[in-house]
Structure formats: C-alpha cells, structure tokens
Amino acid sequence: MTVTLDSPKAIHAQLGRDVVDQAVALEQISVALYKHLQHIKVGNIMLIGNSGTGKTTIMRSIERLFSEHGAAIGHQNTIRLNANIVSNDESTDLESSVILARLAQNAHKLMGSSPNVDQFRDLIENAVVFLDEVDKIRAYVGDKPNPRGILAQESLLTLIEGEGVSLPLSVRNEQGGFDQHKVPIDTGRILFICGGAFEGLYDMVYRRVAGGETRDKLIQEYVVTESQEDMEQKIHFSLNDYVRYEDMFEYGMTPQFLGRFDEVIVLNDLTIKGLMRIFVDPPNSLFREARRYFASLGIELQASKEAVQRIAEHAYDNHRLGARALRMVFKRIMRGIEFDPHDHYLVKQAGEKKVLLLTRDLVDRYF
C-alpha cells in the first residue's frame, strides 16, 4: 500500500500508529507538519506533558515519518537535542551554534558524495528541530535567576525568529577540486518542536484555580462507586482546560520566547487502555522483551487480558510517571520470577513446550 502525506489526516494516521492516547494533540501536530511540507508558514510547537506521556515518542515518530516516505523528500533533516546542550553551548556566533552545526552535519550525510548548494539550503531550511526538556532552561528557578536558562532562551529566540545566516559548503568542481561556498540560510523556515514535563506547573495551576484567585471553577464529575448503589463526586482537573500563557511566564519561560510558539499543546495523561496497548503492542514493548527473555530459557510467556489490565491499572495509579510506571510495576512482579521461574511453580508443561502464564491473581500477589 502506498503511503501518502497529502493531508493532515494522512499524517495523523501514520503518527497514530506509534502514539497512544494523544489523538487531539496529533491533530494539531499533523496540521503543522502538513503546512511545513507544503512550504506554508507555520508556527512552532510546544509540548507539555508528564514524564512518559509520549513527547519523545511523538518526536521519534515524526523522524521516522520524514525519513521513510518519499513524500517528505527534502524534509528528511531532523535532529533531536536536549535543551541543556543549548544552554551549555558557548558558540560566539549564530553560524557556529550547536543546532545549525548539527543540521549542517546531517545535511552532508543526506547529500552523500554529490552535494550542491540548493539541496544543502533546502535540507537546512526545511529541517525539523526537536528540543527535549525545554522546561530545564527556565529564566529563573524559584526566586533566583537562572543565567544559563536566560541565555539559552535568548539564543533560541534569535534562531527561531528567523535570522539570515551563511553556512559553509564545499562542492566538487569539474576540475576535481573543490569550490567553497557561503550558503545563505533563512532560519525562520525551520520548524521547532519543543517538549518538557514542566514539573510543578500542574500543581501551580491547580492552586491558582482551586484557590479562587480567578473565576475558573473546577469541573465536577460524578462516578458510580463499586457498590453501584450511590454516586461519588470527584474533581476532574485537566491542565489543558486551565493553563494560560501567564502560567508559563510565571514558570520561567520568557514572553518573547514563548511568543514564537503558535501551538502550546498539553498532552493527555495515559488511560488504562492506552497503557495496556503500550505494554503489549510495540515491537520493543515490555511484554515482548520479557517473551524474548523467557524464550531464551525455553519458556513461552503468556498473559491473560485480566493480568495485562491489572498491570495497567497499577501503572495508572502512578499517572504522573506515564508509561514509565509500567516498567516499575512489571519489574516488581517479575524480579524473582526472572531469576528462577521454576522455583515459583509457575511454569507448566503444555505438550512439548513450557508455558509461564501471567494471571490477575499473580499480579495482585505483588501489590
């Protein structure tokens, strides 16, 4: 089947294969990526989400999308950096900044042995730059200024605003030698996607809303209790419903820097069903890794749907850890079993093979 990227919906369908429980966020991201592919001016994107909600997965999915599909020719130059690298960058001029240096390095690899000026320019200007942990470059922490964070935001702002720079390129000439070029680059065409957990932002916004400092009222919802006989009132608080740019400023992102992001997207906390998918489906999922391990011992690992659901439920109880909570929960269950599965009387002979079955009772035994 031929995969096209000729609409936001087509891009959304591709990203949705990898990213769980973030359909609305992916809609906004897909529109931005489509505009970028069509050379239509697009604002940059800021992703806010608890650890393990999928920020890095989204970035990796976009990288793979642009590198694997012919429809993205000329846009394959994607780099992913930790924002701390930017804050530690001691370059004295923009041309030698770590971001442009990495983009130029990638462009050379993509062009191979036959570089040309136009291709080089396109690969830089059509690039996507992912900056992770951008919340670590706050302008201040508490009441104290953070000089490195301030400098990093100012440096990024200059790049994101659209600065004209010239980058060097050597092109082989007909005589077998090399001509040196200074290639003009408009950095304003580069798409920046920044992400961070913004730890403390959730609590800060909740205090503002719950404290009655504004007219906002917490959304109330009613749920049926286990007895099914009465209703229990719960407060439903979603950061996405209440966060404002002013909260981001108070957190330590400068208005000038944040003003360069058209989309500030708050990722959902993962649902139990989403955690179940993450636990089982991906090629490198925890469950598939465990199956490979036990297969090396001559044992086939199986899991009931109820067991998978219980693992996801225990992980959901630690929702601020997102998908990372799955590993914590699963390791707690499997630690002794991995060492000696036979000692736990868990391995059953099924014909010619040995089977280790994870059940709900087994999961609950460790909680």
Side-chain angles (χ1 to χ4, degrees):
M1 181 178 67
T2 302
V3 175
T4 64
L5 304 178
D6 58 359
S7 70
K9 288 185 69 174
I11 295 172
H12 188 280
Q14 294 302 307
L15 298 180
R17 297 181 306 170
D18 302 322
V19 184
V20 173
D21 281 345
Q22 305 298 348
V24 175
L26 290 186
E27 287 179 6
Q28 297 167 276
I29 292 169
S30 297
V31 170
L33 293 177
Y34 175 75
K35 289 180 179 178
H36 186 62
L37 287 170
Q38 297 298 318
H39 305 288
I40 298 170
K41 186 171 179 58
V42 58
N44 301 292
I45 298 171
M46 177 77 73
L47 300 176
I48 300 174
N50 287 327
S51 176
T53 50
K55 297 182 298 297
T56 303
T57 301
I58 289 171
M59 295 177 184
R60 288 174 175 165
S61 185
I62 296 170
E63 284 179 337
R64 184 161 55 251
L65 182 74
F66 279 17
S67 65
E68 291 180 355
H69 296 294
I73 286 292
H75 292 77
Q76 308 99 314
N77 196 2
T78 60
I79 62 170
R80 182 155 37 95
L81 298 172
N82 190 293
N84 283 326
I85 293 177
V86 178
S87 67
N88 294 325
D89 188 4
E90 298 181 355
S91 304
T92 56
D93 58 85
L94 192 61
E95 281 87 351
S96 58
S97 71
V98 63
I99 291 176
L100 289 179
R102 192 72 64 86
L103 286 174
Q105 183 181 32
N106 261 18
H108 280 96
K109 290 180 180 178
L110 290 166
M111 291 186 298
S113 59
S114 304
N116 69 74
V117 170
D118 291 338
Q119 186 183 14
F120 181 74
R121 181 188 299 111
D122 285 345
L123 285 169
I124 301 292
E125 293 185 343
N126 295 334
V128 180
V129 174
F130 304 107
L131 283 178
D132 205 1
E133 297 191 359
V134 73
D135 52 319
K136 300 298 191 292
I137 57 171
R138 301 164 68 172
Y140 49 85
V141 179
D143 296 329
K144 296 182 179 179
N146 178 20
R148 283 194 177 275
I150 294 170
L151 290 173
Q153 288 191 47
E154 289 178 350
S155 174
L156 283 171
L157 179 62
T158 303
L159 197 61
I160 293 173
E161 278 183 327
E163 191 75 12
V165 299
S166 295
L167 298 181
L169 177 69
S170 296
V171 179
R172 186 181 294 275
N173 56 37
E174 295 179 355
Q175 289 73 39
F178 288 90
D179 294 330
Q180 304 300 319
H181 296 267
K182 281 284 192 177
V183 183
I185 302 293
D186 176 10
T187 65
R189 292 179 56 190
I190 300 170
L191 176 60
F192 284 83
I193 300 178
C194 299
F198 288 87
E199 295 175 6
L201 181 65
Y202 181 101
D203 294 331
M204 188 179 78
V205 176
Y206 182 84
R207 285 194 299 269
R208 171 176 65 76
V209 176
E213 298 175 11
T214 69
R215 293 184 178 181
D216 294 334
K217 293 182 179 179
L218 291 173
I219 298 171
Q220 305 289 323
E221 63 178 13
Y222 290 87
V223 296
V224 179
T225 62
E226 289 187 4
S227 67
Q228 303 291 313
E229 295 176 354
D230 57 352
M231 302 289 284
E232 178 181 324
Q233 187 180 36
K234 284 190 175 182
I235 291 176
H236 173 77
F237 180 79
S238 170
L239 182 63
N240 196 35
D241 292 331
Y242 297 101
V243 68
R244 300 173 175 175
Y245 274 96
E246 290 83 355
D247 298 315
M248 301 290 288
F249 303 154
E250 184 179 346
Y251 188 84
M253 311 312 291
T254 66
Q256 297 86 349
F257 178 69
L258 200 61
R260 294 301 166 189
F261 293 84
D262 282 7
E263 299 280 4
V264 177
I265 300 172
V266 180
L267 300 183
N268 299 322
D269 287 333
L270 297 174
T271 63
I272 291 173
K273 286 185 177 180
L275 288 164
M276 290 173 69
R277 279 186 56 195
I278 292 170
F279 179 71
V280 174
D281 290 350
N284 60 343
S285 70
L286 287 172
F287 183 65
R288 293 179 188 272
E289 286 179 356
R291 281 179 62 87
R292 286 190 284 269
Y293 170 75
F294 283 104
S296 72
L297 298 174
I299 299 170
E300 180 180 324
L301 177 66
Q302 299 178 359
S304 69
K305 182 178 180 180
E306 292 78 12
V308 174
Q309 180 170 335
R310 290 299 284 164
I311 290 170
E313 288 171 349
H314 288 301
Y316 184 76
D317 290 340
N318 296 278
H319 67 277
R320 300 293 284 274
L321 295 178
R324 290 182 174 86
L326 284 170
R327 184 172 295 276
M328 180 182 70
V329 170
F330 193 51
K331 284 298 181 184
R332 182 173 175 178
I333 297 167
M334 301 302 293
R335 190 172 290 117
I337 300 174
E338 285 181 329
F339 178 70
D340 187 357
H342 298 88
D343 187 52
H344 289 72
Y345 305 100
L346 298 170
V347 175
K348 307 296 183 184
Q349 197 77 29
E352 297 181 356
K353 64 181 179 181
K354 297 178 180 179
V355 175
L356 169 57
L357 176 64
L358 294 182
T359 64
R360 173 176 177 154
D361 288 342
L362 173 61
V363 172
D364 287 342
R365 187 185 305 174
Y366 294 87
F367 289 89

Coordinates of all heavy atoms in Angstrom, one line a residue, residues 145-197:
P145 N 17.3 34.0 39.6 CA 17.5 34.0 38.2 C 18.4 32.8 37.8 O 19.3 32.4 38.6 CB 18.3 35.3 37.9 CG 18.0 36.2 39.1 CD 17.8 35.3 40.3
N146 N 18.2 32.3 36.6 CA 18.9 31.1 36.1 C 19.7 31.7 34.8 O 19.1 31.6 33.7 CB 18.0 30.0 35.8 CG 18.8 28.8 35.1 OD1 20.0 28.7 35.3 ND2 18.0 28.0 34.4
P147 N 20.9 32.2 35.0 CA 21.6 32.8 33.9 C 21.7 31.9 32.6 O 21.5 32.4 31.5 CB 23.0 33.1 34.4 CG 22.7 33.2 35.9 CD 21.7 32.2 36.2
R148 N 22.0 30.6 32.8 CA 22.1 29.7 31.7 C 20.8 29.6 30.9 O 20.7 29.6 29.7 CB 22.6 28.4 32.1 CG 24.1 28.3 32.4 CD 24.6 26.9 32.4 NE 26.1 26.9 32.6 CZ 26.9 26.9 31.6 NH1 26.5 27.0 30.4 NH2 28.2 26.8 31.9
G149 N 19.7 29.5 31.7 CA 18.4 29.4 31.1 C 18.0 30.7 30.3 O 17.5 30.6 29.2
I150 N 18.3 31.8 30.9 CA 18.0 33.1 30.2 C 18.8 33.2 28.9 O 18.3 33.5 27.8 CB 18.4 34.3 31.1 CG1 17.5 34.3 32.3 CG2 18.3 35.6 30.3 CD1 17.9 35.3 33.4
L151 N 20.1 32.8 28.9 CA 20.9 32.9 27.7 C 20.5 31.9 26.7 O 20.5 32.2 25.5 CB 22.4 32.6 28.1 CG 23.1 33.7 28.8 CD1 24.5 33.3 29.3 CD2 23.2 35.0 28.0
A152 N 20.1 30.7 27.1 CA 19.6 29.7 26.2 C 18.3 30.1 25.5 O 18.2 29.9 24.3 CB 19.4 28.4 26.9
Q153 N 17.4 30.7 26.2 CA 16.1 31.2 25.6 C 16.4 32.3 24.6 O 15.8 32.4 23.6 CB 15.1 31.7 26.7 CG 14.5 30.5 27.5 CD 13.4 31.0 28.4 OE1 12.5 31.7 27.9 NE2 13.4 30.5 29.6
E154 N 17.3 33.2 25.0 CA 17.7 34.3 24.1 C 18.3 33.8 22.8 O 18.1 34.3 21.7 CB 18.6 35.3 24.8 CG 17.9 36.1 25.9 CD 18.9 37.0 26.6 OE1 20.1 36.9 26.4 OE2 18.4 37.9 27.4
S155 N 19.2 32.8 23.0 CA 19.9 32.2 21.8 C 18.9 31.5 20.9 O 18.9 31.7 19.7 CB 21.0 31.2 22.3 OG 21.5 30.5 21.2
L156 N 18.0 30.8 21.5 CA 17.0 30.1 20.7 C 16.0 31.1 20.0 O 15.6 30.9 18.9 CB 16.2 29.1 21.5 CG 16.8 27.8 21.9 CD1 16.0 27.1 23.0 CD2 17.0 26.9 20.7
L157 N 15.7 32.1 20.7 CA 14.8 33.1 20.2 C 15.4 33.8 18.9 O 14.7 33.9 17.9 CB 14.6 34.2 21.3 CG 13.7 35.4 20.8 CD1 12.3 34.9 20.5 CD2 13.6 36.4 21.9
T158 N 16.7 34.1 18.9 CA 17.3 34.6 17.8 C 17.2 33.7 16.6 O 16.9 34.1 15.4 CB 18.8 34.9 18.0 OG1 18.9 35.8 19.2 CG2 19.5 35.6 16.8
L159 N 17.4 32.4 16.8 CA 17.3 31.4 15.8 C 15.9 31.2 15.3 O 15.6 31.2 14.0 CB 17.9 30.1 16.3 CG 18.3 29.0 15.3 CD1 19.4 29.5 14.4 CD2 18.7 27.7 16.0
I160 N 15.0 31.1 16.2 CA 13.6 30.9 15.8 C 12.9 32.0 15.1 O 12.1 31.9 14.2 CB 12.8 30.5 17.1 CG1 13.3 29.1 17.6 CG2 11.3 30.4 16.8 CD1 12.7 28.8 19.0
E161 N 13.3 33.3 15.5 CA 12.7 34.4 14.9 C 12.9 34.5 13.4 O 12.2 35.1 12.7 CB 13.3 35.7 15.6 CG 12.6 36.0 16.9 CD 13.2 37.3 17.5 OE1 14.4 37.6 17.3 OE2 12.4 38.0 18.1
G162 N 14.0 33.9 12.9 CA 14.3 34.0 11.5 C 15.5 34.9 11.2 O 15.3 36.0 10.7
E163 N 16.6 34.3 11.5 CA 17.9 35.1 11.2 C 18.5 34.6 9.9 O 18.5 33.5 9.6 CB 18.8 34.9 12.4 CG 20.0 35.8 12.4 CD 19.7 37.2 12.9 OE1 18.6 37.4 13.4 OE2 20.5 38.1 12.7
G164 N 19.0 35.6 9.2 CA 19.8 35.2 8.0 C 21.2 34.9 8.3 O 21.9 35.7 8.9
V165 N 21.6 33.7 8.0 CA 23.0 33.2 8.3 C 23.6 32.6 7.0 O 22.9 32.3 6.1 CB 23.0 32.2 9.4 CG1 22.5 32.7 10.7 CG2 22.3 30.9 9.0
S166 N 24.9 32.5 7.0 CA 25.6 31.9 5.9 C 26.4 30.7 6.4 O 27.2 30.8 7.4 CB 26.5 32.9 5.2 OG 25.8 33.9 4.6
L167 N 26.2 29.5 5.8 CA 26.9 28.3 6.3 C 27.8 27.8 5.2 O 27.5 27.9 4.0 CB 25.9 27.2 6.6 CG 24.9 27.5 7.8 CD1 24.0 26.3 8.0 CD2 25.7 27.8 9.0
P168 N 29.0 27.4 5.5 CA 30.0 26.9 4.5 C 29.6 25.6 3.9 O 29.1 24.7 4.5 CB 31.3 26.8 5.3 CG 30.8 26.5 6.7 CD 29.5 27.2 6.9
L169 N 30.0 25.5 2.6 CA 29.8 24.2 1.9 C 30.8 24.1 0.8 O 31.1 25.0 0.0 CB 28.4 24.2 1.2 CG 28.0 22.9 0.4 CD1 27.9 21.7 1.3 CD2 26.8 23.2 -0.4
S170 N 31.4 22.9 0.7 CA 32.4 22.6 -0.3 C 31.8 21.7 -1.4 O 31.2 20.7 -1.1 CB 33.6 21.8 0.3 OG 34.3 22.6 1.3
V171 N 31.9 22.2 -2.6 CA 31.3 21.5 -3.8 C 32.4 21.2 -4.8 O 33.1 22.0 -5.2 CB 30.2 22.3 -4.4 CG1 29.6 21.6 -5.6 CG2 29.1 22.7 -3.4
R172 N 32.4 19.9 -5.2 CA 33.4 19.5 -6.1 C 33.2 20.1 -7.5 O 32.0 20.1 -8.0 CB 33.5 18.0 -6.3 CG 34.6 17.4 -7.2 CD 34.5 15.9 -7.3 NE 34.8 15.3 -6.0 CZ 36.0 15.0 -5.5 NH1 37.1 15.3 -6.2 NH2 36.2 14.4 -4.3
N173 N 34.2 20.7 -8.1 CA 34.1 21.3 -9.4 C 34.5 20.3 -10.5 O 34.9 19.2 -10.3 CB 34.9 22.6 -9.5 CG 36.3 22.4 -9.2 OD1 36.9 21.4 -9.6 ND2 36.9 23.4 -8.5
E174 N 34.4 20.8 -11.8 CA 34.7 19.9 -12.9 C 36.1 19.5 -13.0 O 36.5 18.5 -13.6 CB 34.3 20.6 -14.2 CG 32.7 20.8 -14.3 CD 32.4 21.5 -15.6 OE1 33.3 21.9 -16.4 OE2 31.2 21.6 -15.9
Q175 N 37.0 20.3 -12.4 CA 38.4 20.0 -12.4 C 38.9 19.0 -11.4 O 40.0 18.7 -11.3 CB 39.2 21.3 -12.3 CG 39.2 22.3 -13.5 CD 37.8 23.0 -13.6 OE1 37.3 23.3 -12.6 NE2 37.3 23.1 -14.8
G176 N 37.9 18.6 -10.5 CA 38.2 17.6 -9.5 C 38.6 18.3 -8.2 O 38.8 17.6 -7.2
G177 N 38.6 19.6 -8.2 CA 38.9 20.3 -6.9 C 37.6 20.7 -6.2 O 36.5 20.2 -6.5
F178 N 37.7 21.6 -5.3 CA 36.5 22.0 -4.5 C 36.3 23.5 -4.5 O 37.3 24.2 -4.4 CB 36.6 21.5 -3.1 CG 36.5 20.0 -2.9 CD1 37.6 19.2 -2.9 CD2 35.2 19.4 -2.7 CE1 37.4 17.8 -2.8 CE2 35.1 18.1 -2.6 CZ 36.2 17.3 -2.6
D179 N 35.1 23.9 -4.7 CA 34.8 25.3 -4.6 C 34.1 25.6 -3.3 O 33.3 24.8 -2.8 CB 33.8 25.8 -5.7 CG 34.4 25.7 -7.1 OD1 35.6 25.9 -7.2 OD2 33.6 25.4 -8.1
Q180 N 34.5 26.6 -2.6 CA 34.0 26.9 -1.3 C 32.8 27.9 -1.4 O 33.0 29.0 -2.1 CB 35.1 27.5 -0.4 CG 36.3 26.6 -0.2 CD 36.0 25.3 0.4 OE1 35.2 25.2 1.3 NE2 36.6 24.2 -0.1
H181 N 31.7 27.6 -0.8 CA 30.5 28.5 -0.9 C 30.1 28.9 0.5 O 30.2 28.2 1.4 CB 29.3 27.7 -1.6 CG 29.6 27.3 -3.0 ND1 29.2 28.1 -4.1 CD2 30.2 26.2 -3.5 CE1 29.6 27.5 -5.2 NE2 30.2 26.4 -4.9
K182 N 29.5 30.1 0.5 CA 28.8 30.5 1.7 C 27.3 30.5 1.4 O 26.8 31.3 0.6 CB 29.2 31.9 2.1 CG 30.6 31.9 2.9 CD 30.3 31.4 4.3 CE 31.6 31.7 5.2 NZ 31.3 31.3 6.6
V183 N 26.6 29.5 1.9 CA 25.2 29.3 1.5 C 24.3 30.2 2.5 O 24.2 29.9 3.7 CB 24.8 27.9 1.6 CG1 23.3 27.7 1.1 CG2 25.7 27.0 0.7
P184 N 23.5 31.1 1.9 CA 22.6 31.9 2.7 C 21.4 31.0 3.2 O 20.8 30.3 2.4 CB 22.1 33.0 1.8 CG 22.2 32.4 0.4 CD 23.4 31.5 0.5
I185 N 21.1 31.1 4.5 CA 20.0 30.3 5.1 C 19.1 31.2 5.9 O 19.5 32.1 6.6 CB 20.6 29.2 6.1 CG1 21.6 28.3 5.4 CG2 19.5 28.4 6.8 CD1 21.1 27.4 4.4
D186 N 17.8 31.0 5.7 CA 16.8 31.7 6.5 C 16.3 30.7 7.6 O 15.5 29.8 7.3 CB 15.6 32.1 5.6 CG 14.4 32.7 6.4 OD1 14.6 33.0 7.5 OD2 13.4 32.9 5.8
T187 N 16.7 30.9 8.8 CA 16.4 30.0 9.9 C 14.9 30.1 10.3 O 14.5 29.2 11.0 CB 17.3 30.3 11.1 OG1 16.9 31.6 11.6 CG2 18.7 30.3 10.8
G188 N 14.2 31.1 9.8 CA 12.8 31.2 10.2 C 11.9 30.1 9.5 O 10.8 29.9 9.9
R189 N 12.5 29.4 8.6 CA 11.7 28.3 7.9 C 11.8 27.0 8.6 O 11.1 26.0 8.4 CB 12.1 28.2 6.5 CG 11.8 29.4 5.6 CD 12.2 29.2 4.1 NE 11.7 27.9 3.6 CZ 12.1 27.4 2.4 NH1 13.1 28.1 1.7 NH2 11.6 26.3 1.9
I190 N 12.8 26.9 9.6 CA 13.0 25.7 10.3 C 11.8 25.5 11.3 O 11.4 26.5 12.0 CB 14.3 25.7 11.1 CG1 15.5 25.8 10.1 CG2 14.5 24.4 11.9 CD1 16.8 26.1 10.8
L191 N 11.3 24.3 11.4 CA 10.2 24.0 12.4 C 10.8 23.5 13.7 O 11.5 22.5 13.7 CB 9.2 23.0 11.8 CG 8.1 22.5 12.7 CD1 7.2 23.7 13.1 CD2 7.3 21.4 12.0
F192 N 10.5 24.2 14.8 CA 10.9 23.8 16.1 C 9.8 23.1 16.9 O 8.7 23.7 17.0 CB 11.5 25.0 16.9 CG 12.8 25.5 16.4 CD1 12.9 26.3 15.3 CD2 14.0 25.1 17.1 CE1 14.2 26.7 14.9 CE2 15.2 25.5 16.7 CZ 15.3 26.3 15.6
I193 N 10.0 22.0 17.4 CA 9.1 21.3 18.2 C 9.8 21.0 19.6 O 10.7 20.3 19.7 CB 8.6 20.0 17.6 CG1 7.9 20.2 16.3 CG2 7.6 19.2 18.6 CD1 7.4 18.9 15.6
C194 N 9.3 21.8 20.6 CA 10.0 21.7 21.9 C 9.0 21.0 22.9 O 7.8 21.1 22.8 CB 10.3 23.1 22.4 SG 11.4 24.0 21.4
G195 N 9.6 20.2 23.8 CA 8.8 19.5 24.8 C 9.4 19.5 26.1 O 10.6 19.7 26.3
G196 N 8.6 19.4 27.1 CA 9.1 19.4 28.5 C 8.0 18.9 29.4 O 6.8 19.0 29.2
A197 N 8.4 18.3 30.6 CA 7.4 17.9 31.6 C 6.9 19.0 32.4 O 5.8 19.0 32.9 CB 8.1 16.9 32.5

